[in-house]
């Protein structure tokens, strides 16, 4: 699995990105700033990544000949979307180094493999059971207790493919909701808050992290991140040590995010791994010397990692498609707060729940950053409504 130290991939080289969403777009911005070329492959056209990349290849992930041709044209392949099929990563690996390796994708794209890996590694996870039939669901509920959450085993994200179970009468609906296919039943965690640690690791095992970030979700989708998290130092340190162990055990070369539940007594439980830059690390683009995207670039190119120093406390608010419900948000209104930065991903259609962009506020305290970013997001919506009302 581990590679010997090959020569670094230097500016001027082409980097291949599997996937073409906003994570690839911000990666491409960081890479182009440092003089690299970026190629992206996905089934879509005029994508957030493609709009910024040098080359946009439009092919299904299952088209292994296209994947191999794509990989042959770049010095290294990375990804911004972990749900690419294992065969795609394997096909790319025959033609170029793939970092992080396909084994990381394989584990992180499947909840059951991920949770099994973590618990076997002695890392703390929510109580869980594999479920393959309605009968197994009944038995699993006895083991983990109710309430619980049934989640699809593969290809889930942002709360998709999940069903909350409060009583036995919910079993048939929950089983139908996961498509009557392999699933994981998880105990419902009555957490105090959610945090994440975004970290990077090189081929030599060098490790950096952005500390604990506090995350607030709405409808299973990240809504707000606050950096640093408002948790005791010991909790933040424990989260970082767990993240360090995860990256080391998986031999990650690149960036990985560990998402946690924090219980009232400070106990940490890992909810999920994302083997790539993460929404909760977007603030690093504006608030840190080296962003999570540049860190991914440095790691996969075999360059030393950059400083993670954060200039000031920060807060990030996602802009979902719902904000477009009654027309275009008023961008000028958000720009009226000078310490708030606007990021839009170039997505052509706004749909409810779709991540269209985000705002980051930098301030003297996390509470102030949070106030600013929430106010900026309200202004976007409020002023839009004002514009659509008839003028007296
Ligand atoms: P996921 O897609 O698994 O990250 O879930 C999305 C969100 O749903 C999480 O960030 C939590 O807010 C909530 N959630 C997921 N699993 C659980 C759980 N076992 N207990 C309580 N809340 C959960």
């Amino acid at each position: 699995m581990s590679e010997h130290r090959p020569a670094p991939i230097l500016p001027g080289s082409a980097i291949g990105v599997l996937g073409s969403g906003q994570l690839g777009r911000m990666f491409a911005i960081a890479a182009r700033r440092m003089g690299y070329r970026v190629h992206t492959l996905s089934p879509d056209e005029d994508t957030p990544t493609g709009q910024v990349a040098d080359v946009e290849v439009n092919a299904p992930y299952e088209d292994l000949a296209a994947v191999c041709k794509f990989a042959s044209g770049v010095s290294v392949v990375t990804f911004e979307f972990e749900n690419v099929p294992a065969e795609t990563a394997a096909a790319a690996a025959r033609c170029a180094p793939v970092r992080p390796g396909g084994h990381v994708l394989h584990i992180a794209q499947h909840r059951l493999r991920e949770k099994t890996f973590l618990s076997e590694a002695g890392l703390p996870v929510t109580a869980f059971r594999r479920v393959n039939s309605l009968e197994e669901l009944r038995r699993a509920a006895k083991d983990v207790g109710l309430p619980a959450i049934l989640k699809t085993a593969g290809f889930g994200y942002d709360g998709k493919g999940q069903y909350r179970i409060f009583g036995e009468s919910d079993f048939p609906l929950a089983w139908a909701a996961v498509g009557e296919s392999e699933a994981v039943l998880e105990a419902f965690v009555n957490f105090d808050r959610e945090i994440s640690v975004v970290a990077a690791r090189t081929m030599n095992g060098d490790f950096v992290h952005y500390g604990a970030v506090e995350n607030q979700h709405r409808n299973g989708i990240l809504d707000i991140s606050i950096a640093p998290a408002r948790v005791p130092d010991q909790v933040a340190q424990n989260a970082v040590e767990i993240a360090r162990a995860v990256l080391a055990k998986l031999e990650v070369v690149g960036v990985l995010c560990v998402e946690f539940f924090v219980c009232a007594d400070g106990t940490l439980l890992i909810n999920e791994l994302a083997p790539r830059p993460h929404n909760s690390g977007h603030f690093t683009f504006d608030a840190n010397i080296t962003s999570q995207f540049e860190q991914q670039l440095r790691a996969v190119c075999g360059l030393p990692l950059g400083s993670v120093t954060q200039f000031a406390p920060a807060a990030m608010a996602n802009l979902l498609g719902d904000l477009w419900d009654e027309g275009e948000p008023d961008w000028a209104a958000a720009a009226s707060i000078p310490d708030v930065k606007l990021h839009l991903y170039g997505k052509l259609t706004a749909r409810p729940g779709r991540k269209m962009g985000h705002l980051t506020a930098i301030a003297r305290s996390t509470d102030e950053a949070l106030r600013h970013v929430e106010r900026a997001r309200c202004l976007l919506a409020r002023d839009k409504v004002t514009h659509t009302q008839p003028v007296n």
Side-chain angles (χ1 to χ4, degrees):
M1 262 185 226
S2 58
E3 293 176 64
H4 287 293
R5 298 176 202 175
I9 297 164
L10 297 174
S13 311
I15 316 294
V17 180
L18 294 176
S20 60
Q22 62 271 17
L23 301 175
R25 181 186 182 91
M26 290 181 267
F27 174 84
I29 292 169
R32 292 196 64 158
R33 195 170 64 174
M34 281 177 66
Y36 287 88
R37 293 184 174 274
V38 178
H39 298 198
T40 172
L41 180 141
S42 82
D44 305 314
E45 276 174 8
D46 194 12
T47 58
T49 310
Q51 291 164 11
V52 177
D54 297 83
V55 176
E56 180 177 51
V57 178
N58 174 228
Y61 296 120
E62 294 74 19
D63 183 347
L64 301 186
V67 170
C68 204
K69 185 168 170 226
F70 172 77
S72 303
V74 297
S75 300
V76 62
V77 173
T78 187
F79 43 84
E80 64 100 54
F81 171 67
E82 67 267 34
N83 289 334
V84 298
E87 303 76 50
T88 308
R94 286 194 285 277
C95 308
V98 175
R99 297 176 189 148
H103 65 283
V104 181
L105 271 189
H106 184 68
I107 289 177
Q109 68 187 198
H110 192 270
R111 283 186 204 280
L112 193 59
R113 280 198 289 268
E114 184 175 284
K115 285 182 187 299
T116 308
F117 159 79
L118 291 168
S119 61
E120 284 177 357
L123 295 165
V125 283
T126 319
F128 71 97
R129 289 288 181 280
R130 173 174 182 258
V131 168
N132 235 339
S133 66
L134 192 53
E135 196 37 49
E136 278 188 14
L137 173 56
R138 288 203 176 87
R139 279 204 297 274
K142 284 212 174 71
D143 290 345
V144 306
L146 292 180
I149 306 192
L150 189 66
K151 302 180 177 180
T152 49
F155 301 106
Y157 65 99
D158 282 348
K160 292 190 171 65
Q162 299 193 6
Y163 197 91
R164 291 192 182 197
I165 300 179
F166 297 96
E168 294 184 6
S169 57
D170 294 327
F171 290 158
L173 274 179
W175 182 234
V178 296
E180 304 194 354
S181 56
E182 191 181 37
V184 182
L185 186 73
E186 263 181 50
F188 185 84
V189 181
N190 198 5
F191 53 79
D192 177 52
R193 60 189 74 207
E194 292 182 82
I195 62 170
S196 57
V197 174
V198 174
R201 185 177 173 277
T202 66
M203 273 173 272
N204 304 336
D206 295 339
F207 173 89
V208 295
H209 64 86
Y210 292 96
V213 177
E214 183 176 336
N215 300 317
Q216 297 171 359
H217 292 79
R218 197 184 282 177
N219 302 324
I221 303 176
L222 183 66
D223 183 42
I224 300 265
S225 290
I226 302 160
R230 297 167 299 180
V231 292
D233 287 351
Q234 191 58 54
V235 171
Q237 273 171 35
N238 291 347
V240 167
E241 288 318 310
I242 292 171
R244 188 193 303 274
V246 171
L247 273 85
K249 282 186 195 299
L250 281 173
E251 297 188 44
V252 170
V253 176
V255 167
L256 183 138
C257 172
V258 185
E259 292 182 69
F260 299 91
F261 298 131
V262 188
C263 302
D265 64 356
T267 306
L268 291 165
L269 295 169
I270 300 177
N271 173 34
E272 234 183 359
L273 307 181
R276 47 161 172 79
H278 189 257
N279 198 165
S280 64
H282 286 2
F283 72 93
T284 61
F285 217 161
D286 299 305
N288 294 66
I289 291 182
T290 314
S291 74
Q292 60 169 350
F293 305 102
E294 183 177 328
Q295 221 68 276
Q296 179 186 17
L297 175 75
R298 286 168 173 254
V300 304
C301 287
L303 294 175
L305 298 173
S307 161
V308 287
T309 299
Q310 187 174 336
F311 301 123
M316 187 269 343
N318 269 337
L319 303 177
L320 300 186
D322 314 57
L323 205 60
W324 275 249
D325 270 356
E326 294 173 40
E328 191 75 10
D330 189 330
W331 305 121
S336 69
I337 305 180
D339 293 337
V340 171
K341 311 291 284 184
L342 169 67
H343 296 253
L344 287 172
Y345 308 145
K347 294 187 183 176
L348 305 178
T349 343
R351 283 192 298 274
R354 190 172 196 209
K355 291 175 180 169
M356 303 295 289
H358 69 268
L359 299 168
T360 305
I362 318 281
R364 279 165 300 188
S365 69
T366 45
D367 289 344
E368 189 177 282
L370 181 59
R371 267 200 312 280
H372 284 181
V373 87
E374 287 189 315
R375 181 153 164 266
R377 191 166 61 174
C378 280
L379 285 176
L380 284 176
R382 194 198 64 191
D383 288 10
K384 176 185 64 182
V385 174
T386 309
H387 285 179
T388 55
Q389 280 169 352
V391 180
N392 291 325

